[in-house]
Amino acid sequence: MKSTHRTKSAALAALAALAMSSAALPASAQSFTVLEAFGNGTAVQSPRGVLAQGQDGLLYGTSLKGGSLGEGTVFAMTQGGDVNVVGGFSDSTGGTTCNTGLSLGRDGSFYGTCADGKSPFENGTVFSASAASGIATLHTFAGSDGKMPEPGVPVQGIDGNFYGMTEAGGANGAGTVFVMHGDGSVVVLYNFGGFQDDGREPTGALTLASDGNFYGTTMAGGKLGGGTVFKMTPGGQVTILHAFPSKSAKEGVMPMGGVVEGKGGKFYGVTFSGGQENLGTIYVLKQTGKTQTLHSFRAVENVAFPCDGMAMSAERSLFGTAAACKNGTCAGSAIFELTAKADFKVLHAFDPATDGTEASGRLFLDTNGLLYGLTESGGPNGGGTAYSFDNGIAPFVSLSPASGAIGDTINVYGQGFTEKGTKIFFGKTQATQNFFVGPNYDQVVVPPGATSGTVTVKTPSGRLKSIQTFTVSH
């Protein structure tokens, strides 16, 4: 565990160097590691939300407390646990309770939301952050365009704009879907709760799927009263794909955390309750709109009530966190896996004193193959932890965006890139315009003859395949 007290400019340079070296070090399979124990003085405290991998290979996240004003931070961390504060939040100049984490934009900056703050920020904000310029408030919600943008991080669409949701506010008080343009202006695309069977109170970030549409969940509303899964076009046309019941021993109730896309147009998610013992479920939504319960949480497993979305590996294993329960008391956290064959495993139960507790935010699957996450409290210093879990997942590459026309420039994130030894293939066609930026980040122009499918990157260390399926648009 590393100290977080450093000079900013020197620390970021050192962090980037450490990330490059640590990324090449293999870790043993099936291992949980506390990378940083937060909670000393004005350092990072109570981290929360999803982490994001930067173009420099570092991991970036947010905290609810800490920083010079004690109102939260954006921080950078190596995969080995060296941490530096990038910037601090202030309720007098922007929002606070910035608890969704971060998403990486194609410009290299990070984007997130804050749930509240002092007037005029009491309805929440959208912000950007970078190591070079710190934190900047991009939009302040007025209530009519949404309130409490807590469902999840803004997601960049194919058009370059950012799409997100608010939990409340809007025309019906039940939340909104919004699009934020490059100048920071926000347009409401959809107001939830506009008719009797509509979804209400969205939860979890939107998912930009391979078909170009967005998918998400609401934890309330719907025809049966137990929440919904919906699809939305970039223009804001919403279709409810499935309505969950308000009570069921077979199906889940109250979907949480959004969905993750699998193969064949299927989407996977969790429900907070419902199922065999009313402890929550893992489900798959098929193209027909019907759901199948893949797993019902049971008391004998000592894991229940999942709140956050899941990460999916290339092998289609699902990884998530849930409450750790024993003898009817839920006072900790745990990591679980559901394999492609629907085998359920509890991978790790957190010790609150050493590992932290209140695991928050969707697990982040880094291109080095490790899962990373945060706990909001507990740990040796009482202020939460950052941790990694090695489940033997092979390194891969990630694409942003995962679709494009011939001649478009695509960002590629991975491990071990070199200026002369990295080759990128779209199907069997090698890209001739490949621009090396760093060991973890390349830019590539989609070449003539490119076909939809897996993108392969050959490096001096080996071959990496994209975790997404790339779609060649026309």
Side-chain angles (χ1 to χ4, degrees), residues 271-285:
T271 65
F272 180 75
S273 58
Q276 292 177 6
E277 300 181 20
N278 201 32
L279 300 176
T281 69
I282 302 172
Y283 66 89
V284 57
L285 174 70

Side-chain angles (χ1 to χ4, degrees), residues 409-458:
T409 299
I410 304 299
N411 294 334
V412 182
Y413 299 90
Q415 306 287 318
F417 297 164
T418 63
E419 186 169 5
K420 296 182 180 180
T422 299
K423 299 178 180 179
I424 301 177
F425 295 82
F426 291 76
K428 295 182 179 180
T429 303
Q430 181 179 349
T432 57
Q433 293 178 283
N434 174 22
F435 306 102
F436 171 80
V437 181
N440 304 102
Y441 171 54
D442 264 21
Q443 292 183 327
V444 62
V445 176
V446 181
T451 56
S452 297
T454 301
V455 173
T456 302
V457 179
K458 294 182 179 180

Side-chain angles (χ1 to χ4, degrees), residues 333-396:
S333 301
I335 301 172
F336 66 81
E337 175 189 9
L338 186 74
T339 69
K341 295 182 179 180
D343 294 326
F344 182 82
K345 306 173 185 177
V346 177
L347 299 177
H348 181 76
F350 290 73
D351 181 330
T354 58
D355 301 343
T357 190
E358 293 186 273
S360 65
R362 175 174 48 84
L363 287 171
F364 176 68
L365 180 57
D366 192 276
T367 57
N368 62 9
L370 298 183
L371 292 158
Y372 292 88
L374 302 169
T375 67
E376 187 178 337
S377 62
N381 298 323
T385 63
Y387 62 87
S388 67
F389 189 83
D390 183 358
N391 202 54
I393 300 171
F396 58 90

Side-chain angles (χ1 to χ4, degrees), residues 252-304:
V253 176
M254 196 184 299
M256 301 285 282
V259 293
V260 59
E261 184 179 16
K263 294 184 177 181
K266 296 178 181 179
F267 293 87
Y268 298 80
V270 298
T271 65
F272 180 75
S273 58
Q276 292 177 6
E277 300 181 20
N278 201 32
L279 300 176
T281 69
I282 302 172
Y283 66 89
V284 57
L285 174 70
K286 301 179 181 180
Q287 286 184 318
T288 60
K290 294 183 178 181
T291 63
Q292 176 186 352
T293 299
L294 300 176
H295 181 76
S296 285
F297 289 89
R298 299 176 297 149
V300 69
E301 296 163 346
N302 296 327
V303 179

Side-chain angles (χ1 to χ4, degrees), residues 458-473:
K458 294 182 179 180
T459 74
S461 301
R463 179 178 301 189
L464 304 171
K465 293 187 177 182
S466 63
I467 197 168
Q468 308 114 308
T469 296
F470 186 80
T471 302
V472 179
S473 57

Side-chain angles (χ1 to χ4, degrees), residues 81-97:
D82 292 274
V83 174
N84 184 72
V85 174
V86 172
F89 294 106
S90 166
D91 60 10
S92 60
T93 60
T96 54
T97 316

